Amino acid sequence: MEFNVDEIRKDFPILHTKNMGKDLIYLDSAATSQKPIQVINAIMEYYKTYNANIHRGLYDISVKATEGYTNSKEKVAKFINAQSYREILYCKNTTEAINLVALTWAEQNLKEGDGILLTQMEHHSNIVPWQILSKKKRLVLEYAKVENGVINMDDYKKKLENAPKLVSFTHVSNVLGSINNVKEMTKLAHTEGAMVHIDGAQSVPHMKVNVKDIGCDFFSFSSHKMLGPAGIGVLYGKDEILEELEPIIGGGDMIRSVDFEKCTWNELPWKFEAGTSNIEGGIGLGKAIEYIEGIGIDNIRKHEIELVRHAIGKLEKVEGVAVYGPELGKDKIEGRAGVISFNIHGAHPHDVATIFNSEGIAIRAGHHCAMPLVNKVLNEPAVARMSFYLYTKKEEIDKAVDTIEKVKKVLRIKKHR
Ligand code: PMP
């Protein structure tokens, strides 16, 4: 199918609404994506026609709900090339998925003095769970350096020599847009005997991810960033690893049998999903994956590369604008995802975002839940960020870049670096 952004936009009702009386220009898809009508309808249809609890009903609508929920796991497994849906655990979001790795595998396998290696470009959700666990178990946390918008691989290799037991890094930076070579990083970590977790919150929605090919042990992502509903996320884990782990939340559905003294666990993935599931979330996520596959994930990636090339080309020409991220040069724009952080010299990013809003443009400003990266590596209190998806148009980027001149005018910025 030919990629046609105008046709795609027809599926997204919110893109035809107003913001501050102007056409909404949504440039904050890294925070959350908009939802196509197909996903909205799938959730509505579930509530209108087959709402029932799953796994326990012998009546038709419960069977249908169970099928919808389980089929969505099969779709997720196929989408990221997991072995089977036994490897797909549903939880709330990427954050909860990472916490689940910390509270299961890491809690059950690490001991005092063991090391965990992260990088300086991590989102808080891939820092804080490890800090909490490190404090509790007296673990040693290290961070591979980030320089010129990318992970310094020499530093990464050097820190791997300290033989960390677990390495956890992001696939794509939500601030810098850099795409890490996760296959190579995983191979290096495995050579040193470490387990590998990858934060795929910013990759799975935008590019082909193949967990088998990458070879990682765990991989996390969120439905709400990939056209699906909020409140549901995925932890992929290798079958043989999950099989060995003890669950941390007990209750209905996660057991095979319960006696007054003891119980036995259900099979994967249900062992990790106690209580009533986010049924409509699973059904919505399944529909979102169907939608993405209908467009083609490679077509989405190609579209976003063109958007980044266009945006960087435009921003480079604007006086007084600093763009953060990898210094790749125009010929290597493929190393960047559709996330561009920038600052306007003399303007606070919050003022920038407020003035953008007055033009109907939604961008984000702040530390983007990556305070160590923004404050210590970029040396900025905050940055403004525009981020794209399959429904973003070049004209919208043009409008955003034009608005930079309005920012300068409103804030009376005259001199530039
Ligand atoms: N990691 C990265 C790289 C992210 O961009 C985000 C969301 N901004 C998260 C983790 C956390 O995702 P969620 O809020 O859905 O748990």
Side-chain angles (χ1 to χ4, degrees):
M1 194 184 93
E2 205 187 315
F3 188 94
N4 182 332
V5 70
D6 291 317
E7 281 303 311
I8 288 169
R9 288 172 70 87
K10 289 183 187 160
D11 290 334
F12 291 80
I14 204 167
L15 299 179
H16 308 285
T17 62
K18 302 270 179 202
N19 181 38
M20 301 291 286
K22 312 232 164 103
D23 289 345
L24 170 68
I25 295 182
Y26 186 73
L27 298 179
D28 197 19
S29 290
T32 200
S33 70
Q34 296 304 342
K35 322 299 172 199
I37 191 69
Q38 290 83 344
V39 168
I40 298 167
N41 283 344
I43 295 169
M44 226 157 58
E45 191 200 338
Y46 160 69
Y47 275 123
K48 279 160 83 176
T49 67
Y50 63 105
N51 172 48
N53 213 329
I54 55 171
H55 290 156
R56 352 184 198 272
L58 293 171
Y59 49 92
D60 271 18
I61 57 170
S62 173
V63 172
K64 190 170 174 197
T66 305
E67 274 172 11
Y69 189 74
T70 310
N71 285 347
S72 80
K73 288 204 179 219
E74 279 170 356
K75 283 181 197 156
V76 172
K78 205 165 137 258
F79 191 57
I80 62 167
N81 197 30
Q83 203 168 282
S84 80
Y85 81 83
R86 283 168 53 87
E87 297 185 317
I88 305 301
L89 313 188
Y90 278 165
C91 45
K92 215 165 66 181
N93 44 35
T94 306
T95 305
E96 197 172 273
I98 300 174
N99 275 274
L100 196 54
V101 180
L103 295 171
T104 56
W105 185 86
E107 173 77 44
Q108 291 161 30
N109 288 280
L110 301 186
K111 53 177 196 325
E112 185 172 341
D114 283 345
I116 295 179
L117 177 59
L118 311 172
T119 82
Q120 290 182 333
M121 65 165 70
E122 300 312 315
H123 187 278
H124 295 164
S125 65
N126 196 25
I127 297 177
V128 183
W130 308 118
Q131 288 184 348
I132 294 173
L133 190 71
S134 295
K135 200 165 162 202
K136 188 169 151 204
K137 300 195 87 163
R138 296 169 185 269
L139 308 173
V140 181
L141 269 191
E142 286 206 282
Y143 298 86
K145 277 189 202 149
V146 169
E147 276 161 5
N148 303 322
V150 295
I151 294 168
N152 178 327
M153 286 302 282
D154 289 336
D155 192 58
Y156 177 71
K157 286 179 199 161
K158 202 169 104 214
K159 287 181 173 140
L160 277 179
E161 285 170 14
N162 297 335
K165 291 283 191 311
L166 176 79
V167 180
S168 184
F169 46 81
T170 193
H171 195 165
V172 172
S173 164
N174 65 314
V175 175
L176 304 166
S178 14
I179 304 173
N180 294 320
N181 187 344
V182 288
K183 189 173 172 180
E184 172 73 3
M185 289 175 76
T186 300
K187 203 170 117 205
L188 289 167
H190 279 165
T191 307
E192 296 298 334
M195 291 293 265
V196 175
H197 165 265
I198 299 173
D199 170 354
Q202 297 293 348
S203 62
V204 173
H206 304 278
M207 59 195 69
K208 182 68 199 153
V209 168
N210 181 335
V211 289
K212 280 275 131 50
D213 183 55
I214 294 168
C216 56
D217 303 293
F218 296 104
F219 193 100
S220 310
F221 55 102
S222 299
S223 153
H224 71 93
K225 292 187 199 282
M226 53 187 294
L227 311 182
I232 187 151
V234 176
L235 174 64
Y236 155 84
K238 279 185 183 156
D239 196 310
E240 62 273 23
I241 298 171
L242 296 178
E243 189 65 46
E244 290 299 311
L245 294 180
E246 291 293 309
I248 48 160
I249 300 179
D253 241 23
M254 52 75 71
I255 46 78
R256 181 167 289 139
S257 69
V258 183
D259 204 342
F260 285 117
E261 292 79 29
K262 59 180 181 345
C263 56
T264 55
W265 308 140
N266 200 346
E267 62 196 29
L268 288 174
W270 315 115
K271 177 171 89 168
F272 291 99
E273 291 181 36
T276 298
S277 304
N278 181 351
I279 305 163
E280 76 276 30
I283 288 166
L285 171 58
K287 192 47 115 180
I289 290 176
E290 239 178 66
Y291 186 88
I292 291 173
E293 285 180 329
I295 306 281
I297 188 77
D298 291 336
N299 292 331
I300 294 174
R301 176 73 190 124
K302 259 191 239 154
H303 174 65
E304 291 182 17
I305 290 171
E306 283 317 307
L307 293 176
V308 174
R309 196 189 308 281
H310 183 76
I312 299 265
K314 286 241 150 193
L315 285 166
E316 269 175 359
K317 294 197 191 98
V318 187
E319 207 187 327
V321 171
V323 175
Y324 305 95
E327 289 167 7
L328 297 167
K330 284 205 183 52
D331 53 329
K332 288 197 187 143
I333 217 88
E334 282 81 359
R336 267 191 105 118
V339 173
I340 300 180
S341 290
F342 66 100
N343 267 333
I344 303 171
H345 183 57
H348 193 284
H350 286 145
D351 292 334
V352 175
T354 306
I355 296 167
F356 269 57
N357 183 47
S358 70
E359 290 296 314
I361 308 171
I363 61 162
R364 188 153 288 243
H367 50 63
H368 309 283
C369 292
M371 279 173 104
L373 172 65
V374 172
N375 299 346
K376 297 271 174 63
V377 180
L378 301 183
N379 236 334
E380 297 287 356
V383 293
R385 179 186 76 185
M386 49 174 112
S387 53
F388 316 137
Y389 210 177
L390 73 167
Y391 40 68
T392 308
K393 288 173 70 148
K394 283 186 181 164
E395 292 85 331
E396 293 181 303
I397 294 170
D398 293 346
K399 182 80 201 296
V401 175
D402 289 347
T403 304
I404 294 174
E405 293 306 330
K406 178 173 175 187
V407 171
K408 290 184 193 167
K409 214 158 137 197
V410 172
L411 299 177
R412 296 173 202 274
I413 297 168
K414 289 207 176 76
K415 287 205 172 108
H416 306 304
R417 285 190 260 227

